[in-house]
Amino acid sequence: MAQPAMAASVIGEIAERFRATSAEIHANPETAFREHRAAALLTDWLAEEGFTVRLGVGGLDTAFIATSGGVIGGRPAGGGPVVAVLAEYDALPGIGHGCGHNLIGAGAVLAASHLRRLAPDHAGTLVVIGTPGEEGGGGKIKLLDAGVFDGIDAALMFHPADRTLVVRRALAAAHVRVEFHGVAAHAAKNPADGRNALTAMIQLFGALDGLRQHMPDRARIHGVIRDGGNAPNVIPDFTSAEFYVRDTTAASTVDLLERFEACARGSAMATGTGYKLVHTAPMYSERRNNLAMASKLARYLELTGVDVEEARDDNPAGSSDIGNVSLKTPTIHPYIQIAERGTPSHSALFREAAATPHAHDMAERMALGIAAVASELLAGGELLGEARREHAAAGQPTVPKPTPPA
Ligand SMILES: [Zn+2]
């Protein structure tokens, strides 16, 4: 086990940079795949800490890989493990860093830099992977498809929250846009000539409310209308809405999507319009929490005075593209409490909480824990063996790929 006292003294030297970087990302929010400033800040810092940095990987301009102690995309020369700490740094449209990804991005670099300073000639390969576009863009899935996660033996990241947990369930999620195509007409003079795309959309929302009664308890469907028509006296010939369709697994989400599409088809038929369903991002899968790694992290956190809540099956659950990573390689995605209990994520309140000194204190402690677990994994001892066995025993579900965007 790493010595927490020594760990704390090293982290003091880079904590200032962590705070400044996080604050700068927070003050300059960039949405999915536009995180150029954040990616530059993080990669510059990693390069200064001695990492070998590649910015623009896996076909994404704002994704990066930074390595210490080995080679990328294969076994390091010494044959040791490859351990990845993941960074997120995208903001939400309209609300900025209401999910606190500024703490994740800067915190990942803090954890990795800390580990490297503590043990510059560490075993294996330490990798920081910059994963853009978590908010609805599926950045990690694109990087997975591009092979960026090939050869990674374990992946670790953390997320700020209103509670501290090392294990949390998450839902699979499909991201879809529905369009209705009707016929425009003057709404007073010749409405009989029109076919109303807005009526179809309203019927779809009504049909989904009806479907909701017969969905599994944990499934979720929610959406917003993007295009609802232009003028009250013109029958709208085009409407569109974006939805997330979620259930406990990717496989059951595909089943739910079929029922969702039936609602769209029915609404189109009833209104004489046409409909189109487009997937706007890859399917986020369910999350597999590696319990061996998670319980080790809990022990490190408790050593630094952080109370870890017991995982509860009824904890509120969202979705993240870390799920797809967790099916490929042993993964943890713990949460650190930075805001008062009940503070909703994706809110202005959470955004303000993500910039406070308290949030940075807490994120620092979590980064220490992540560094300690990563260090133990790099050493290739019992923890890595346990994590691998647990991952292998869980089998390999396939994540269905719904029809790609038209
Ligand atoms: Zn988030």
Side-chain angles (χ1 to χ4, degrees), residues 36 65 97 118 170 174 189 207 218 221 245 294 320 392:
H36 295 281
I65 302 179
H97 277 289
L118 207 60
K189 291 178 188 161
R218 287 179 172 175
I221 296 178
V245 178
S320 167

Side-chain angles (χ1 to χ4, degrees), residues 216-296:
D217 282 348
R218 287 179 172 175
R220 298 281 186 270
I221 296 178
H222 37 92
V224 292
I225 297 178
R226 292 285 185 212
D227 301 281
N230 293 313
N233 60 354
V234 178
I235 302 286
D237 64 350
F238 175 76
T239 53
S240 76
E242 282 177 38
F243 296 90
Y244 287 2
V245 178
R246 316 195 204 210
D247 200 358
T248 44
T249 66
S252 62
T253 301
V254 168
D255 294 342
L256 186 57
L257 259 176
E258 274 176 32
R259 300 168 73 193
F260 174 94
E261 184 159 6
C263 293
R265 196 163 49 239
S267 303
M269 280 176 72
T271 54
T273 58
Y275 83 97
K276 196 163 133 186
L277 190 148
V278 178
H279 288 268
T280 54
M283 167 91 77
Y284 287 17
S285 79
E286 64 273 25
R287 181 180 308 167
R288 184 183 286 171
N289 298 284
N290 191 276
L291 301 181
M293 287 158 59
S295 51
K296 182 65 78 173

Side-chain angles (χ1 to χ4, degrees), residues 88 90 99-101 104 134-135 159-160 320 333 345-346:
E88 290 174 2
D90 58 327
C99 206
H101 292 187
I104 305 177
E134 188 277 329
E135 296 292 353
H159 201 295
S320 167
H333 185 285
S345 68
H346 293 196

